[in-house]
Amino acid sequence: MIIDSIKQQKGHLFEIKLTGGKVVLLDKDYVLEKALKTGDDISAAELKNMVVESEYRRAVSRAVWYIERGSLSKKKLTEKLIAAGISRDACHKAVLRMEELDLINDVAFAERLAEQYLQGGISVREAENKMVLKGIDRKTAKEALDLFEVDAKKQIKLLISKKYRTKLQCAENVPKVFAALVRKGFNYSDIKSVLSEYSEQLKYSEE
């Protein structure tokens, strides 16, 4: 097959048109490195290898770009690469390369998230759910959270001081705060114990 034309596209890609109407997109740096030009004769096997190598390089480049802008789990990085239009095979290979280079590490990321969330005054259950949403598998999330000693009552007090202190100045808001804390993943007994410090006269139902 003969290259009929090479045209730069939006972004970091070149459109390569070949005789017979076949069109492929290759990474700009890869095209320049290979010094591809109009008139070059390329076999089907060579073209296939070019597409595979170009996709992989593009995936690696995009992966590094994402990582430089914030920590990511293996799962979320893979999703971002696939969403960018890169082949799944190239995405998975690029993510494995990022792991080999220790640019992504789900265990270390999970431990950082666990510390961050728990210091923010949220419950262990909510922290676990937040970590799962960031692509950390539940087992890794639990193991990371188990590394930290958590005083649930202290967590509740911290959250109240940041979000609910004003509401608790009005007795009628106490049940609402109680319900909100339950939804945050704290257990009934710890919530009751802390809220009793704000108003010992109020009674709470576990229903």
Side-chain angles (χ1 to χ4, degrees):
M1 292 179 287
I2 306 298
I3 295 179
D4 286 336
S5 66
I6 301 177
K7 183 179 179 181
Q8 185 167 2
Q9 299 295 295
K10 182 179 180 181
H12 212 254
L13 294 172
F14 271 113
E15 179 190 78
I16 313 295
K17 288 186 177 181
L18 302 106
T19 52
K22 188 173 183 61
V23 177
V24 296
L25 295 174
L26 299 180
D27 180 75
K28 175 183 176 182
D29 291 338
Y30 184 74
V31 171
L32 295 176
E33 178 185 319
K34 293 295 184 181
L36 297 179
K37 60 185 183 298
T38 302
D40 283 351
D41 190 357
I42 301 174
S43 69
E46 287 175 325
L47 182 62
K48 181 179 179 180
N49 288 335
M50 284 183 180
V51 171
V52 170
E53 180 63 19
S54 172
E55 278 285 277
Y56 171 68
R57 292 194 184 190
R58 182 179 168 217
V60 168
S61 177
R62 182 62 69 94
V64 171
W65 188 84
Y66 285 136
I67 292 169
E68 287 176 343
R69 282 152 182 78
S71 297
L72 291 167
S73 65
K74 178 179 178 179
K75 179 180 179 181
K76 286 300 180 182
L77 178 58
T78 301
E79 289 175 355
K80 280 181 172 287
L81 292 173
I82 291 174
I86 301 172
S87 70
R88 287 181 178 273
D89 186 57
C91 291
H92 289 301
K93 288 180 180 178
V95 170
L96 287 176
R97 183 56 178 159
M98 296 300 101
E99 286 187 301
E100 291 173 358
L101 296 172
D102 202 32
L103 293 178
I104 57 171
N105 184 320
D106 277 8
V107 172
F109 185 35
E111 291 175 5
R112 292 197 301 273
L113 286 175
E115 182 176 20
Q116 174 190 327
Y117 289 148
L118 295 176
Q119 287 182 344
I122 67 175
S123 69
V124 171
R125 191 175 76 182
E126 185 176 10
E128 180 184 321
N129 289 336
K130 282 179 174 287
M131 292 163 72
V132 170
L133 288 175
K134 284 188 173 291
I136 302 296
D137 68 82
R138 201 166 289 278
K139 179 176 180 293
T140 301
K142 287 180 181 292
E143 291 174 349
L145 289 163
D146 285 343
L147 296 175
F148 301 89
E149 291 186 9
V150 180
D151 184 332
K153 293 180 182 179
K154 185 177 179 180
Q155 296 292 90
I156 293 171
K157 290 177 182 179
L158 178 58
L159 187 56
I160 286 175
S161 69
K162 295 171 63 175
K163 192 171 183 180
Y164 301 114
R165 182 178 295 276
T166 301
K167 288 186 177 180
L168 287 176
Q169 292 175 359
C170 180
E172 65 180 21
N173 287 329
V174 173
K176 296 178 181 178
V177 173
F178 183 92
L181 292 170
V182 169
R183 290 194 296 272
K184 290 289 185 181
F186 296 105
N187 65 53
Y188 293 125
S189 61
D190 288 333
I191 298 171
K192 286 182 178 181
S193 177
V194 174
L195 290 183
S196 68
E197 298 177 19
Y198 290 86
S199 178
E200 295 183 357
Q201 297 178 354
L202 293 173
K203 297 181 179 179
Y204 308 102
S205 170
E206 294 189 1
E207 295 298 323

